[in-house]
Amino acid sequence: MTSARQRHLPRHREPELEREITRSPSLGYEAPEESGLVRCLAHGVPSPLVRWHFHEEYELHLITETSGRAFVGDWIGPFQPGHLVLCGPRLPHNWLSLDAPEGGVPERDRVIQFRHEPIESAASDIPELREVLQLLERSRHGIEFFGLADRALEHWEQVKATHGLQRLARFLEYLAELVKCTDYRLLSNVQMQGVEGDAEVDQINVIVNRITSNLAEPIVMSDIATELGMSESRFSRFFKRSTGNSFTDFVNRVRINSACHLLMQTDHYVTDICYQVGFNNVANFNRRFLEIKGMTPTEFRRQSDSRYSNLA
């Protein structure tokens, strides 16, 4: 059931830009007259849709090509083909591909969006739907499902290919499989409040992209605050409210995530990786890595090598 906390959260205005994007058939969205409760979307990268954003709908998101860095609420982590996440309303999210070819890829994402109110209303009279509400409650933090990649793509294609009552039936079959799945994890530690208006969404999107694309460069909060015409304290509150992390924690999480990628994909020395991702001394790098990952960089590489050797 919807929690008291969720019911009493103030309703925010969805940014106008987000509404314009979701109304645009040229970007792959279905026209409103073609969909009811459920809307399907497939898009590639690059795309205007690949940006830090949020919306009022739930979003069931399947990545089918490329790998990179995902942002879901205050969670920052890797993704690869088969990555399946259910994001709740107003939970900010973005997927940045790090290995897309120069010309991009035509269809990286398979997405289903749906609204809360019709399901909640129907569940009051249909007992079988009440277990779905438990799934939706968890999705406020973002849910990553494991072992469902192939089935998820099949479900998406079946939903996409149908309309009306048949589409609803296919969608409920998909939800039923997610309800039964026990191999999952919650991603975001906080329920996000989001931001107000297009200007703030664009500001956060620019800041996030700047951080992720220039990891080795010094990133000073006071400089960014000045560029935005904010005091440091105001910028700090704004960033925390928007991303769920303090500015310093966010930067550290992005850098440690990049270090994990290098530890798994290269044979670079740990010391070299430390500086490649923007830390200025090894002791601080090791301390932050242990704090975020629960192990040292050397142990992380050892476990990764062992896991991939077993898979091979």
Side-chain angles (χ1 to χ4, degrees):
M1 301 292 284
T2 305
S3 68
R5 179 185 179 190
Q6 188 176 19
R7 285 195 301 270
H8 291 107
L9 281 173
R11 292 187 62 81
H12 299 269
R13 183 178 67 84
E14 185 179 7
E16 182 63 29
L17 177 59
E18 189 65 30
R19 293 201 298 273
E20 290 298 327
I21 286 176
T22 58
R23 284 198 292 259
S24 175
S26 65
L27 295 176
Y29 275 97
E30 298 172 319
E33 61 270 16
E34 295 179 4
S35 61
L37 169 65
V38 182
R39 301 176 68 197
C40 293
L41 165 70
H43 71 81
V45 60
S47 165
L49 297 170
V50 179
R51 62 194 297 271
W52 187 96
H53 70 291
F54 61 89
H55 36 70
E56 297 294 345
E57 297 85 1
Y58 293 92
E59 184 165 283
L60 188 52
H61 203 111
L62 174 66
I63 297 287
T64 56
E65 291 188 69
T66 76
S67 60
R69 189 175 299 116
F71 302 83
V72 178
D74 70 345
W75 181 81
I76 303 167
F79 74 82
Q80 59 186 5
H83 184 74
L84 177 64
V85 173
L86 176 60
C87 292
R90 296 193 62 82
L91 183 66
H93 51 273
N94 191 19
W95 284 263
L96 293 178
S97 294
L98 300 179
D99 59 355
E102 185 175 343
V105 295
E107 290 192 344
R108 184 194 72 168
D109 306 64
R110 303 294 195 281
V111 179
I112 288 179
Q113 290 185 345
F114 58 98
R115 293 172 290 119
H116 179 80
E117 291 78 7
I119 295 177
E120 182 180 47
S121 177
S124 64
D125 295 316
I126 304 174
E128 290 83 356
L129 281 176
R130 291 172 191 164
E131 57 187 311
V132 174
L133 294 181
Q134 299 174 13
L135 174 73
L136 300 185
E137 178 71 13
R138 294 195 299 272
S139 76
R140 293 185 297 113
H141 298 277
I143 309 172
E144 181 180 10
F145 300 92
F146 300 99
L148 292 181
D150 292 339
R151 290 287 295 150
L153 183 57
E154 291 176 12
H155 280 302
W156 186 89
E157 290 174 341
Q158 290 171 356
V159 173
K160 174 65 176 174
T162 54
H163 296 280
L165 188 59
Q166 190 174 20
R167 168 172 285 198
L168 178 61
R170 297 299 188 195
F171 172 63
L172 291 177
E173 288 178 3
Y174 195 174
L175 284 185
E177 187 146 358
L178 297 180
V179 167
K180 291 188 299 182
C181 179
T182 58
D183 192 4
Y184 68 86
R185 63 171 169 172
L186 302 184
L187 299 178
S188 180
N189 290 318
V190 298
Q191 182 180 352
M192 305 298 294
Q193 298 177 22
V195 295
E196 290 293 342
D198 294 335
E200 291 192 353
V201 170
D202 288 341
Q203 285 176 333
I204 287 294
N205 198 51
V206 168
I207 294 167
V208 169
N209 287 340
R210 178 171 169 179
I211 293 170
T212 57
S213 61
N214 299 283
L215 286 179
E217 299 297 322
I219 303 172
V220 182
M221 184 178 75
S222 59
D223 292 345
I224 296 179
T226 299
E227 290 174 18
L228 296 177
M230 298 183 185
S231 66
E232 286 191 50
S233 59
R234 181 186 170 197
F235 175 80
S236 180
R237 292 192 299 270
F238 166 66
F239 194 87
K240 175 77 172 180
R241 175 166 57 89
S242 303
T243 69
N245 290 279
S246 71
F247 183 79
T248 300
D249 286 346
F250 186 91
V251 172
N252 284 337
R253 284 173 179 266
V254 172
R255 286 174 168 168
I256 294 301
N257 179 259
S258 294
C260 290
H261 179 80
L262 291 172
L263 288 166
M264 290 187 292
Q265 302 295 329
T266 74
D267 58 359
H268 298 172
Y269 291 118
V270 170
T271 303
D272 293 336
I273 290 174
C274 161
Y275 295 107
Q276 287 174 41
V277 300
F279 285 92
N280 56 18
N281 71 77
V282 177
N284 186 39
F285 171 65
N286 286 333
R287 183 164 56 250
R288 297 306 176 198
F289 199 102
L290 179 62
E291 181 182 284
I292 292 171
K293 292 298 180 181
M295 65 185 75
T296 66
T298 301
E299 179 62 23
F300 180 88
R301 171 173 273 170
R302 185 182 301 116
Q303 289 193 14
S304 298
D305 289 345
S306 175
R307 180 164 62 251
Y308 287 118
S309 294
N310 290 336
L311 288 175

